[in-house]
Amino acid sequence: MTASKKRRKPLLLSHTRPHSTTNAPSLSSHATRSLIRKHHTLQKQLHTATFNDDKTTVERLHAELEASGGLQKYQKASIQGQSSERGGDSSKVLVEWINDLSPQKVPHHIVEAGKLRMLEVGALKVDNACSRSAIFDVTRIDLHSQHPDIKQQNFMQRLEPSPGRLQEDGYDIVSLSLVVNYVGDAVSRGEMLKRVSSFLRSSKQYPMEEVKVTFPALFLVLPAPCVTNSRYMDEKRLEDIMISMGYVKTRRKLGKKLIYYLWRYVEHDAKRQLMKFRKQEIRPGGKRNNFSIVLQ
């Protein structure tokens, strides 16, 4: 077989979740991006091979993932990618937004009412901005915990609070910071987003309007190219998807690498019918990535 021209990889989805510090030798920025990009590519190939029941390919991809350092090395690369000298902690944006609720930039009305309960999915840091603030009482989970204060758990398998216990066991905010883009396929991304509202408390519990206009909420962070350079996704389509699930966008920030959103969940409504969103090309072109979200 003749050597083919080297294929240009689609731009993007190489930046992932923010993680904790480590004493391991530091990788260069280029090496960090390459490792993360390779891990994402292998994970997507593994998902496809598993779906097709291609056992030979599954075994080969598992071996490649192990040879490249597996999830642990990927996480360490992500830690470095989100270090202070390389852009910092994405949760700082959320803390700034919450502080803006108060004219004095200090959320006294939140602190006096008790800390906001946060479920941080994909957490590998216990000292990020949210954890250091006086605003949040944080529950942290991750697929591969690197700290005793982070529960090793798959969000999709986490037990949902019963309706009668939602106020006690639910959360004011769920954080999916660089998590959705890690999920291997579009349908599973949609299922993850749909599941978030099951963990959110009702807005009726908030005594102050400043809180009601923001919570309960989803903090969503994605690599910017997921919506700025995807063949199947742009910001309008993402907003249409979120609106169909009962969310209203309250804050947005587009950075050089990441895009941040705060979505308020309007209310639990059993009568709401979820719209379907299939994978549909909305931005043609040869230099696009294939990120998408499907609701079935």
Side-chain angles (χ1 to χ4, degrees):
M1 182 174 176
T2 59
S4 59
K5 185 177 180 180
K6 188 175 181 181
R7 225 164 92 189
R8 185 171 181 175
K9 294 183 179 179
L11 303 173
L12 359 204
L13 316 186
S14 58
H15 299 86
T16 50
R17 302 172 292 170
H19 298 315
S20 60
T21 56
T22 178
N23 294 323
S26 177
L27 294 171
S28 68
S29 296
H30 176 74
T32 297
R33 290 193 300 269
S34 296
L35 192 153
I36 292 173
R37 187 182 296 113
K38 181 178 181 180
H39 185 88
H40 272 271
T41 299
L42 291 174
Q43 284 288 353
K44 290 174 185 177
Q45 293 173 351
L46 179 60
H47 181 272
T48 300
T50 302
F51 181 81
N52 294 331
D53 198 26
D54 185 347
K55 294 182 174 61
T56 301
T57 302
V58 167
E59 289 180 7
R60 175 179 63 78
L61 291 170
H62 274 303
E64 285 191 49
L65 281 164
E66 286 301 313
S68 66
L71 182 59
Q72 187 172 10
K73 192 168 182 179
Y74 161 80
Q75 288 178 323
K76 289 180 179 179
S78 295
I79 291 167
Q80 290 185 206
Q82 288 294 311
S83 62
S84 57
E85 62 270 23
R86 296 189 189 175
D89 168 18
S90 65
S91 74
K92 288 194 296 185
V93 173
L94 176 61
V95 173
E96 290 170 3
W97 284 346
I98 304 307
N99 283 340
D100 283 343
L101 291 174
S102 169
Q104 291 78 32
K105 305 295 183 183
V106 180
H108 292 298
H109 55 280
I110 292 177
V111 176
E112 289 170 359
K115 289 187 176 182
L116 294 167
R117 283 172 50 84
M118 169 187 278
L119 175 61
E120 186 178 5
V121 182
L124 293 178
K125 296 186 71 172
V126 297
D127 61 348
N128 61 7
C130 287
S131 299
R132 296 194 307 270
S133 76
I135 305 171
F136 299 104
D137 176 14
V138 186
T139 298
R140 309 173 187 88
I141 64 173
D142 188 66
L143 288 171
H144 184 74
S145 173
Q146 296 190 77
H147 193 281
D149 290 338
I150 301 171
K151 183 174 183 179
Q152 186 157 307
Q153 185 180 63
N154 185 335
F155 173 66
M156 299 305 291
Q157 297 173 359
R158 184 179 178 86
L159 186 66
E160 297 177 4
S162 63
R165 294 280 306 174
L166 193 58
Q167 295 304 96
E168 294 81 5
D169 300 335
Y171 296 88
D172 302 291
I173 185 166
V174 173
S175 172
L176 296 179
S177 179
L178 297 168
V179 172
V180 174
N181 56 289
Y182 185 82
V183 177
D185 68 281
V187 173
S188 297
R189 293 176 196 131
E191 290 301 313
M192 173 174 277
L193 289 175
K194 284 195 291 185
R195 199 164 196 264
V196 169
S197 62
S198 301
F199 293 88
L200 294 175
R201 299 158 114 179
S202 170
S203 61
K204 295 176 182 177
Q205 63 140 347
Y206 305 117
M208 286 152 285
E209 286 301 319
E210 299 99 321
V211 183
K212 284 184 178 180
V213 297
T214 303
F215 299 100
L218 165 63
F219 180 54
L220 178 65
V221 183
L222 295 168
C226 288
V227 294
T228 62
N229 195 41
S230 170
R231 188 172 287 106
Y232 305 106
M233 180 67 61
D234 60 12
E235 289 201 72
K236 182 182 183 304
R237 187 167 183 83
L238 176 61
E239 186 162 8
D240 288 343
I241 288 172
M242 298 303 293
I243 289 173
S244 79
M245 292 188 291
Y247 290 91
V248 175
K249 182 173 64 180
T250 59
R251 300 299 292 262
R252 168 195 178 274
K253 177 180 179 180
L254 176 62
K256 291 182 179 179
K257 297 180 180 180
L258 304 178
I259 189 161
Y260 309 78
Y261 294 102
L262 191 61
W263 303 92
R264 176 170 62 91
Y265 187 60
V266 177
E267 199 50 76
H268 298 76
D269 185 357
K271 296 180 180 179
R272 180 186 296 121
Q273 293 197 352
L274 193 68
M275 292 177 62
K276 293 183 178 181
F277 288 83
R278 60 186 179 86
K279 189 174 182 179
Q280 177 182 355
E281 186 177 74
I282 56 177
R283 187 191 282 126
K287 297 181 181 179
R288 309 295 186 189
N289 69 74
N290 294 319
F291 179 83
S292 64
I293 296 172
V294 170
L295 294 188
Q296 294 183 335

